[in-house]
Amino acid sequence: MTGSEAPPSFRLAYVPGVTPGKWVRIWQERLPDVPLELVPVTAAEAPGLMSDGGADAGVVRLPVDRAVFSAIPLYTETTVVVVPKDHDVAAVDEVSLEDLAEDVVFHPLDDTLEWQELPGRPAVERPATTADAIELVAAGVGVLVVPQSLARLHHRRDLTYRPVADAPQSSVALSWPEDRTTDLVDDFIGIVRGRTVNSTRGRRPSPAEQPKDKPRRSGRPARAAAGGKSAAGGRRGAATGRGGGAPAGRKGARPGKPRRRS
């Protein structure tokens, strides 16, 4: 590497609600010489950032344009409704969208759920962000339906949430530009998929990472080359006629001692 070349690094975008900390720790253990930079980004901004080279890969919300990006689905989240703690919903374990028919249900501009039909009563104005919608829920103006990780991210003591059984769900995936599947992207794919350091799938480990070869064992017994009996193979040689034993067809005969004539 010349002095003008920058050292390798890996930039990982991630959307709100995603927690890539576990994968980052494994990366630091396996590739300590390659810095991993986390790039927080909104769900709407993630595809553009990866296309422009601002991130090598991203943990994003589906769908993505599969003509441009590769994607490995990771998990699907439970959808919940966020309500004030004194709301009727707080008294039950689970609700349906029909249970929210009389509530104002906020639909922020950064909503990540794909609705065919919006539930509840519409708000006078759409909040700009999920964080803004949470403030309105705390003020008692309405309720908010979001993936559970976003409800946890914006947790407040005066609010709670309950699962919504029939709401659309949000899936999270590892994604990257299809035409830029680099060695470092392969390394991160291996970490996300739980591969070990010595896995044969994905990029081959460097010579320093490869396990040392164990000395090969000879297939011959230790003393066979010298013509002697091995500890485990002596009797086998006598039975098969090898190594000075009885000829074939006279199994068990004792050589060397002539028979007496009657």
Side-chain angles (χ1 to χ4, degrees):
M1 182 174 71
T2 66
S4 61
E5 292 178 341
S9 63
F10 186 74
R11 290 160 298 178
L12 179 70
Y14 69 102
V15 298
V18 169
T19 52
K22 175 183 176 181
W23 301 321
V24 173
R25 288 192 296 271
I26 296 173
W27 177 280
Q28 291 169 342
E29 293 169 0
R30 295 188 184 179
L31 297 134
D33 297 330
V34 182
L36 190 155
E37 179 186 354
L38 289 175
V39 184
V41 63
T42 67
E45 294 169 342
L49 184 72
M50 291 189 291
S51 293
D52 295 342
D56 299 288
V59 186
V60 302
R61 295 190 182 275
L62 294 178
V64 296
D65 185 351
R66 298 305 290 265
V68 179
F69 299 101
S70 296
I72 300 173
L74 301 176
Y75 56 88
T76 298
E77 289 197 60
T78 299
T79 302
V80 301
V81 58
V82 182
V83 298
K85 282 193 171 179
D86 59 357
H87 194 283
D88 291 344
V89 164
V92 299
D93 294 331
E94 185 179 81
V95 298
S96 68
L97 293 176
E98 187 178 352
D99 296 327
L100 307 177
E102 299 302 318
D103 288 284
V104 171
V105 179
F106 295 115
H107 181 52
L109 296 176
D110 64 356
D111 190 4
T112 60
L113 299 174
E114 293 191 312
W115 295 100
Q116 294 184 351
E117 183 178 350
L118 294 176
R121 295 159 47 205
V124 174
E125 186 176 349
R126 293 182 64 183
T129 66
T130 298
D132 293 335
I134 290 288
E135 293 295 328
L136 293 172
V137 174
V141 180
V143 302
L144 175 65
V145 180
V146 289
Q148 183 170 299
S149 66
L150 293 181
R152 290 174 174 170
L153 178 65
H154 297 287
H155 171 71
R156 291 175 51 127
R157 291 185 178 182
D158 53 347
L159 301 180
T160 188
Y161 58 84
R162 294 291 184 270
V164 184
D166 52 352
Q169 295 178 310
S170 175
S171 295
V172 174
L174 173 64
S175 183
W176 65 96
E178 179 139 2
D179 60 354
R180 294 204 300 272
T181 307
T182 64
D183 284 346
L184 292 179
V185 170
D186 274 338
D187 285 327
F188 196 78
I189 292 170
I191 289 172
V192 168
R193 285 184 161 170
R195 298 178 195 155
T196 62
V197 175
N198 299 323
S199 171
T200 57
R201 298 186 63 186
R203 186 163 71 94
R204 294 179 61 84
S206 67
E209 296 170 331
Q210 292 180 1
K212 295 181 180 179
D213 292 335
K214 294 182 179 179
R216 299 175 112 188
R217 287 188 175 184
S218 171
R220 300 177 63 187
R223 295 179 59 190
K229 296 179 181 180
S230 68
R235 291 187 178 274
R236 184 180 300 173
T240 58
R242 291 181 294 177
R250 295 182 60 188
K251 183 176 180 181
R254 299 178 64 183
K257 188 173 182 180
R259 295 184 179 182
R260 291 185 179 182
R261 296 184 178 180
S262 55

